[in-house]
Amino acid sequence: MDRHHLIPKTFKGKDQFPIHKICHRKIHSVFTERELLREYHTWEALREHEVIRNFINWVAKKPSGFYSRTQTAGRKRTA
């Protein structure tokens, strides 16, 4: 398990929430810190994003404890 800041620490976010490591890594491989601050600072907004929604559907079929390295952040857009 990891802990995720819905408002990134970079932008003074303090609240942390438990999240599976693979899901946490996926979020940070898809979004920049600024995108997380501006658009994806709620669980609902994250779940509505197509890439994250597809990832959740995919990982939900894996056995408990499954972990695989996530692609690096090279796919991120600059905000």
Side-chain angles (χ1 to χ4, degrees):
M1 292 297 275
D2 276 353
R3 300 198 58 77
H4 178 65
H5 292 82
L6 285 173
I7 303 222
K9 286 189 328 185
T10 309
F11 297 102
K12 310 278 192 243
K14 296 189 185 333
D15 294 332
Q16 299 180 44
F17 302 90
I19 185 171
H20 290 101
K21 184 180 240 183
I22 192 171
C23 297
H24 194 212
R25 300 288 163 91
K26 183 64 175 182
I27 289 168
H28 286 284
S29 75
V30 173
F31 303 111
T32 64
E33 297 285 302
R34 193 159 302 279
E35 288 172 318
L36 289 170
L37 173 69
R38 290 182 180 166
E39 300 173 50
Y40 300 102
H41 56 272
T42 67
W43 294 117
E44 294 77 20
L46 286 168
R47 287 185 193 110
E48 288 174 5
H49 189 277
E50 182 180 7
V51 171
I52 299 300
R53 185 176 57 247
N54 290 339
F55 179 79
I56 290 169
N57 292 335
W58 173 78
V59 81
K61 298 173 189 167
K62 302 299 180 195
S64 176
F66 173 80
Y67 182 77
S68 177
R69 292 184 61 89
T70 305
Q71 270 189 326
T72 61
R75 295 179 45 202
K76 286 185 191 176
R77 300 177 312 273
T78 56

